[in-house]
């Protein structure tokens, strides 16, 4: 059952990730660039510090493994869509420096456990620009194609993580599930609200 969950996550992340990237390249999805820059910093530092831990296991941490590659490809698609332009804001530079700092801290101190937890905090902050954009524009600002699969993948990833007793993988999957679900529910809320407004208009 654990292996089935792992292969499901690999297949789902690959399939839906590819479709989401196509949407970005064709202009059908316009993700918040800041969010994906922070995701690269967070997922990258989370993945690297996870590999530093003594009991790291790729199967238990399959979600982090897939996410690390996924966010890099999405950011590259955004850069391509913007014709190679990527102007980093001061805050974004700080996030990238923070991600690098987390990895350096883990290497220097050997405290990969707490380094990984710091990376989870960084990943939590990555959702802030998306939530802010939705609240400001009061509409669905991204594609379900990115966030619905991400929500289900995170939920499924909890099973192998719990079965193998890998606490860091459980924390990663639980965080990803909670924040992705909030994103989906927020988009759905404003989508339904817009439909009601059009119906009464």
């Amino acid at each position: 059952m654990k292996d089935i969950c792992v292969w499901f996550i690999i297949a789902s992340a690959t399939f839906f990730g590819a479709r989401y990237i196509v949407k970005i390249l064709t202009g059908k999805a316009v993700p918040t660039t800041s969010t994906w820059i922070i995701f690269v910093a967070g997922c990258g530092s989370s993945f690297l510090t996870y590999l530093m831990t003594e009991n790291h296991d790729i199967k238990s941490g399959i979600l982090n493994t897939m996410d690390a590659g996924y966010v890099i490809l999405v950011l590259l698609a955004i850069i391509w869509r913007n014709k190679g332009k990527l102007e980093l804001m001061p805050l974004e530079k700080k996030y990238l420096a923070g991600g690098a700092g987390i990895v350096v801290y883990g290497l220097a101190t050997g405290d990969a456990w707490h380094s990984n937890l710091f990376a989870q905090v960084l990943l939590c902050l990555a959702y802030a620009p998306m939530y802010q954009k939705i609240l400001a524009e009061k509409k669905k600002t991204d594609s379900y194609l990115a966030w619905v699969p991400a929500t289900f993948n995170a939920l499924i990833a909890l099973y192998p993580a719990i079965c193998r007793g890998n606490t860091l993988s459980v924390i990663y999957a639980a965080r990803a599930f909670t924040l992705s679900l909030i994103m989906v529910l927020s988009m759905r809320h404003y989508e339904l609200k817009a439909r009601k407004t059009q119906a009464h208009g």
Side-chain angles (χ1 to χ4, degrees):
M1 183 63 181
K2 288 177 285 188
D3 287 343
I4 292 175
C5 290
V6 169
W7 283 110
F8 177 86
I9 292 167
I10 292 173
S12 176
T14 301
F15 177 74
F16 288 106
R19 291 191 63 186
Y20 183 51
I21 288 171
V22 169
K23 275 203 165 193
I24 294 172
L25 295 176
T26 56
K28 295 179 181 178
V30 187
T32 307
T33 307
S34 294
T35 287
W36 293 93
I37 292 173
I38 302 170
F39 273 149
V40 168
C43 285
S45 59
S46 177
F47 179 66
L48 291 174
T49 53
Y50 177 70
L51 292 180
M52 293 178 201
T53 60
E54 292 181 3
N55 64 334
H56 73 270
D57 171 43
I58 294 299
K59 287 185 178 180
S60 299
I62 189 62
L63 186 65
N64 196 172
T65 303
M66 295 302 295
D67 282 352
Y70 174 74
V71 297
I72 290 172
L73 292 174
V74 169
L75 183 59
L76 289 175
I78 294 171
I79 295 171
W80 181 274
R81 179 65 185 172
N82 293 337
K83 298 178 180 179
K85 297 178 182 178
L86 182 64
E87 297 181 3
L88 294 176
M89 304 293 287
L91 186 61
E92 295 166 352
K93 291 178 181 178
K94 289 179 181 178
Y95 279 121
L96 290 173
I102 288 170
V103 176
V104 171
Y105 171 81
L107 289 170
T109 65
D111 187 5
W113 176 273
H114 286 97
S115 297
N116 192 270
L117 293 182
F118 295 150
Q120 303 316 308
V121 174
L122 192 63
L123 281 165
C124 287
L125 295 174
Y127 287 79
M130 288 187 299
Y131 295 154
Q132 184 179 17
K133 186 176 180 180
I134 290 176
L135 291 173
E137 298 185 16
K138 292 180 170 52
K139 65 178 182 179
K140 183 171 82 72
T141 57
D142 209 332
S143 171
Y144 286 124
L145 198 59
W147 299 106
V148 172
T151 303
F152 280 107
N153 286 349
L155 182 61
I156 292 169
L158 279 168
Y159 182 78
I162 292 172
C163 285
R164 292 174 182 268
N166 194 308
T167 305
L168 287 179
S169 293
V170 171
I171 292 172
Y172 183 93
R175 174 205 52 75
F177 171 72
T178 303
L179 296 178
S180 295
L181 180 61
I182 292 172
M183 183 66 180
V184 171
L185 293 177
S186 298
M187 290 194 296
R188 185 60 177 166
H189 168 73
Y190 283 113
E191 186 179 48
L192 291 175
K193 194 172 182 179
R195 287 181 183 179
K196 287 181 181 178
T197 301
Q198 290 177 354
H200 292 296

